[in-house]
């Protein structure tokens, strides 16, 4: 059983980094399904459900701009004597980074004036995780989650503010309710375009005993955009 939603998102800038570009950040032409899923989870996330992106409508023309940003060339280690793990065990440690010593300027190729329409649905993963599973049916449980998402999206409530690839690029969102008019893509997006391969999502393998992530598997798909619309294929997981 799945229940669908339609959400319009927009922002002044966006950066959906291509993994093959290494140091210099270069954005994909459009939002990735994993980034779209992250926006939905920022509004409403529960361990009982999984968001699935069905379709992405690109509403504004695809425009790029170049910027240079200050970044750092290191990160706080997790393992080792000076890492986060040791500090959590001992209750003390120096986890700071001297920004002046590690600052670097890097170029980024960003998207600007972006606006998308996301069509998605959620699937019930395990009703045993739901406290009320004994009292309600699967349809009632799914309807409860849908109502909670709609209420939060309608009033602008979030767990953390959604962003467009990077946290410095916040996303605005608007719920398109049943019977609402969906905005149409810009006329310059008419026709069919091949946007190449894009990251679909990342599959995590987790150790159930230690709760640690053992491995990550990226999944890619070939993006075909027709009249501004991208149909996202189902994610084929190696493990179920």
């Amino acid at each position: 059983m799945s229940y669908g939603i339609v959400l319009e998102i927009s922002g002044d800038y966006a950066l959906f980094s291509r993994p093959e570009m290494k140091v210099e950040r270069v954005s994909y032409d459009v939002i990735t399904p994993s980034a779209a899923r992250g926006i939905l989870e920022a509004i409403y996330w529960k361990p009982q459900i999984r968001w699935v992106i069905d379709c992405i409508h690109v509403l504004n023309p695809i425009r790029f701009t170049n910027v240079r940003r200050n970044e750092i060339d290191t990160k706080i280690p997790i393992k080792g004597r000076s890492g986060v793990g040791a500090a959590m065990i001992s209750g003390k440690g120096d986890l700071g980074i001297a920004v002046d010593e590690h600052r670097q300027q890097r170029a980024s190729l960003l998207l600007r004036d972006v606006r998308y329409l996301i069509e998605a649905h959620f699937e019930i993963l395990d009703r045993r995780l739901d406290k009320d599973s004994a009292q309600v049916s699967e349809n009632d449980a799914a309807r409860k989650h849908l109502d909670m998402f709609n209420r939060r999206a309608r009033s602008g409530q979030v767990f953390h503010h959604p962003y467009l690839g990077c946290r410095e690029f916040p996303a605005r969102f608007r719920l398109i309710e049943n019977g609402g008019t969906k905005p149409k893509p810009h006329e310059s997006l008419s026709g069919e375009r091949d946007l190449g391969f894009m990251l679909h999502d990342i599959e995590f393998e987790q150790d159930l005993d230690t709760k640690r992530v053992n491995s990550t598997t990226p999944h890619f798909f070939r993006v075909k955009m027709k009249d501004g619309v991208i149909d996202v294929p189902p994610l084929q997981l190696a493990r179920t």
Side-chain angles (χ1 to χ4, degrees):
M1 181 66 65
S2 63
Y3 284 77
I5 60 94
V6 180
L7 191 74
E8 180 185 350
I9 61 175
S10 61
D12 298 328
Y13 297 98
L15 175 55
F16 310 109
S17 300
R18 291 179 176 268
E20 67 271 22
M21 294 303 179
K22 303 296 183 180
V23 175
E24 306 299 336
R25 299 181 186 272
V26 177
S27 178
Y28 283 111
D29 290 16
V30 298
I31 188 174
T32 63
S34 58
R37 175 179 57 80
I39 291 176
L40 298 180
E41 290 179 347
I43 299 172
Y44 182 74
W45 176 88
K46 290 289 183 181
Q48 300 92 344
I49 67 173
R50 175 176 60 200
W51 287 105
V52 179
I53 306 301
D54 300 316
C55 185
I56 297 173
H57 299 247
V58 184
L59 303 179
N60 284 359
I62 300 173
R63 299 189 181 99
F64 288 91
T65 186
N66 284 286
V67 300
R68 296 187 68 85
R69 300 186 297 165
N70 288 328
E71 301 185 9
I72 56 175
D73 61 0
T74 187
K75 59 183 180 180
I76 299 174
I78 298 176
K79 300 179 180 180
R81 294 182 179 180
S82 61
V84 175
M88 292 176 64
I89 295 174
S90 64
K92 59 182 179 180
D94 184 8
L95 301 178
I97 295 177
V99 176
D100 293 341
E101 299 176 5
H102 297 278
R103 182 185 290 120
Q104 287 187 347
Q105 275 202 341
R106 294 178 180 173
S108 298
L109 185 62
L110 314 177
L111 293 167
R112 63 184 180 90
D113 300 326
V114 299
R115 191 161 67 104
Y116 306 105
L117 199 69
I118 298 175
E119 295 185 21
H121 70 275
F122 63 84
E123 299 173 348
I124 301 292
L125 295 179
D126 190 350
R127 292 184 59 248
R128 291 175 297 179
L129 297 174
D130 198 316
K131 296 184 296 183
D132 302 325
S133 59
Q135 290 78 28
V136 298
S137 66
E138 182 174 347
N139 285 344
D140 291 338
R143 191 174 297 108
K144 178 190 70 174
H145 290 298
L146 180 64
D147 290 342
M148 291 178 69
F149 174 85
N150 288 339
R151 184 168 62 250
R152 292 177 64 87
R154 192 181 299 120
S155 61
Q157 290 181 297
V158 295
F159 289 114
H160 63 83
H161 198 90
Y163 54 89
L164 297 165
C166 292
R167 290 188 182 273
E168 57 263 47
F169 304 138
R172 301 181 291 270
F173 62 89
R174 179 175 69 93
L175 179 67
I176 307 294
E177 310 213 37
N178 292 335
T181 303
K182 297 180 182 178
K184 296 183 178 181
H186 191 268
E187 58 184 10
S188 64
L189 299 172
S190 61
E192 186 171 341
R193 299 189 190 183
D194 187 344
L195 300 181
F197 286 98
M198 172 185 285
L199 177 68
H200 192 309
D201 215 323
I202 297 178
E203 179 182 1
F204 295 91
E205 180 187 12
Q206 188 178 44
D207 189 311
L208 297 180
D209 295 327
T210 63
K211 303 299 182 182
R212 293 181 177 177
V213 175
N214 293 332
S215 65
T216 58
T217 304
H219 293 268
F220 295 84
F221 74 109
R222 192 68 176 260
V223 182
K224 301 282 188 179
M225 184 173 68
K226 185 174 182 181
D227 296 331
V229 180
I230 299 171
D231 291 321
V232 180
L235 180 63
Q236 300 296 327
L237 298 177
R239 312 170 190 85
T240 57

